[in-house]
């Protein structure tokens, strides 16, 4: 649709330009000029509709945001089955906390999860973090996750878009019985090693993790905000106990 709109605008514009030149010597061309104007306006309408509806791959909702929201959408679907109706804390990088991208992801997650009881949160960082002098992965510690869990003791699940710290296995609540700790879902592995993540999945301490499928992207594919499941399946897969052996080498 976006391409059709662009073509219509180009054809209409060129038609108007040609008619303007001919009209000086041939006034009877005016109806054709009017038709070209209508084609131009029609193309503009198609283009605007496609953008505002979020149906185009790189316009109303940029490609990166669509893929980011597709991950949130899948996380919501997974946790809807694992811990339905519980409070969920969606943890993002401090630099993204107030971004429209993070807000869009959380709204997408809510829709897929089927509940508005979702909190967008981040970890505590030094005041100079925003100046770009620190790397989150090198800064992230188990205590940051412990503090989040303590501050949200009523939460049934945590979606960690920041991943796990390098010593993620040392997170305090991982030593608690399964019925006494929240569910953890990783939309980003973080600095923790793949070996540790696989161990935590096997032990049931992480319900699932999103990883890239690998391989080349289809350059002709344009993800749509209306088809988030399709967009997700193009690039990612959720790894859990049921398919860990299949994707073991992807970590």
């Amino acid at each position: 649709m976006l391409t059709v709109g662009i073509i219509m605008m180009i054809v209409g514009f060129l038609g108007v330009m040609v008619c303007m030149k001919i009209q000086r010597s041939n006034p009877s061309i005016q109806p054709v000029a009017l038709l070209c104007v209508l084609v131009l306006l029609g193309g503009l309408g198609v283009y605007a509709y496609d953008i505002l509806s979020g149906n185009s791959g790189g316009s109303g909702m940029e490609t990166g945001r669509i893929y980011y929201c597709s991950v949130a959408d899948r996380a919501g679907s997974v946790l809807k089955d694992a811990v339905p109706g519980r409070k969920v804390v969606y943890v993002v990088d401090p630099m993204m906390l107030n971004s429209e991208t993070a807000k869009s992801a959380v709204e997408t997650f809510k829709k897929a999860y089927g509940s508005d009881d979702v909190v967008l949160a981040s970890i505590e960082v030094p005041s100079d973090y925003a100046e770009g002098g620190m790397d989150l992965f090198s800064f992230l510690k188990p205590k940051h996750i412990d503090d989040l869990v303590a501050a949200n003791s009523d939460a049934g699940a945590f979606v960690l878009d920041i991943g796990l710290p390098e010593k993620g296995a040392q997170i305090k609540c991982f030593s608690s019985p399964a019925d006494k700790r929240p569910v953890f879902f990783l939309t980003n592995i973080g600095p923790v090693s793949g070996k540790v993540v696989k161990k935590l999945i096997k032990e049931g301490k992480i319900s699932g993790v999103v990883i890239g499928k690998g391989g080349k992207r289809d350059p002709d594919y344009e993800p749509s905000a209306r088809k988030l499941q399709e967009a997700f399946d193009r690039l990612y897969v959720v790894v859990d106990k049921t398919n860990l052996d299949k994707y073991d080498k992807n970590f």
Side-chain angles (χ1 to χ4, degrees):
M1 289 292 288
L2 185 67
T3 303
V4 172
I6 293 174
I7 292 174
M8 288 176 66
M9 286 190 290
I10 292 173
V11 171
F13 177 76
L14 292 176
V16 170
M17 292 297 101
V18 171
C19 287
M20 286 178 64
K21 290 183 178 181
I22 298 177
Q23 191 172 2
R24 296 172 184 175
S25 57
N26 186 4
S28 63
I29 198 71
Q30 188 172 1
V32 178
L34 178 59
L35 177 61
C36 290
V37 170
L38 292 176
V39 172
L40 173 61
L41 293 176
L44 181 61
V46 171
Y47 183 84
Y49 173 79
D50 209 45
I51 288 177
L52 294 175
S53 66
N55 195 42
S56 60
S59 302
M61 199 177 191
E62 67 269 26
T63 300
R65 186 182 293 187
I66 293 176
Y67 280 124
Y68 187 73
C69 285
S70 77
V71 173
D73 176 74
R74 185 57 56 88
S77 298
V78 171
L79 292 180
K80 182 178 182 179
D81 294 332
V83 282
R86 297 291 304 277
K87 173 183 173 181
V88 179
V89 180
Y90 203 104
V91 187
V92 299
D93 186 301
M95 295 290 286
M96 289 188 64
L97 188 57
N98 297 312
S99 71
E100 290 303 315
T101 298
K103 293 175 183 177
S104 295
V106 168
E107 289 305 312
T108 300
F109 177 89
K110 288 179 180 179
K111 186 175 180 180
Y113 184 59
S115 171
D116 288 332
D117 194 8
V118 181
V119 177
L120 178 61
S122 190
I123 62 172
E124 292 291 332
V125 293
S127 58
D128 61 348
Y129 178 80
E131 297 175 4
M134 289 188 173
D135 172 59
L136 178 65
F137 284 0
S138 62
F139 176 78
L140 189 61
K141 306 296 180 186
K143 186 179 185 304
H144 290 113
I145 309 301
D146 293 338
D147 290 345
L148 281 169
V149 173
N152 297 276
S153 57
D154 57 337
F158 286 79
V159 177
L160 299 183
D161 195 51
I162 59 175
L164 287 180
E166 185 177 0
K167 297 181 179 179
Q170 295 179 12
I171 292 172
K172 287 182 179 179
C173 68
F174 282 164
S175 61
S176 302
D179 61 343
K180 300 294 183 181
R181 65 173 183 259
V183 169
F184 285 87
F185 185 88
L186 308 184
T187 55
N188 185 356
I189 290 181
V192 70
S193 70
K195 182 179 180 180
V196 171
V197 172
K198 289 186 286 185
K199 182 175 184 293
L200 292 173
I201 291 175
K202 290 178 180 178
E203 294 174 348
K205 295 172 181 177
I206 293 176
S207 65
V209 56
V210 174
I211 64 171
K213 282 185 173 180
K216 295 182 178 179
R217 292 190 184 187
D218 180 355
D220 297 322
Y221 175 71
E222 291 187 351
S224 168
R226 293 182 175 183
K227 298 179 180 179
L228 292 177
Q229 294 183 13
E230 178 183 281
F232 180 91
D233 291 334
R234 285 270 177 167
L235 295 186
Y236 310 108
V237 65
V238 174
V239 178
D240 55 24
K241 281 185 176 181
T242 66
N243 61 358
L244 182 57
D245 291 340
K246 179 180 179 180
Y247 293 101
D248 180 76
K249 294 183 180 179
N250 288 57
F251 287 88

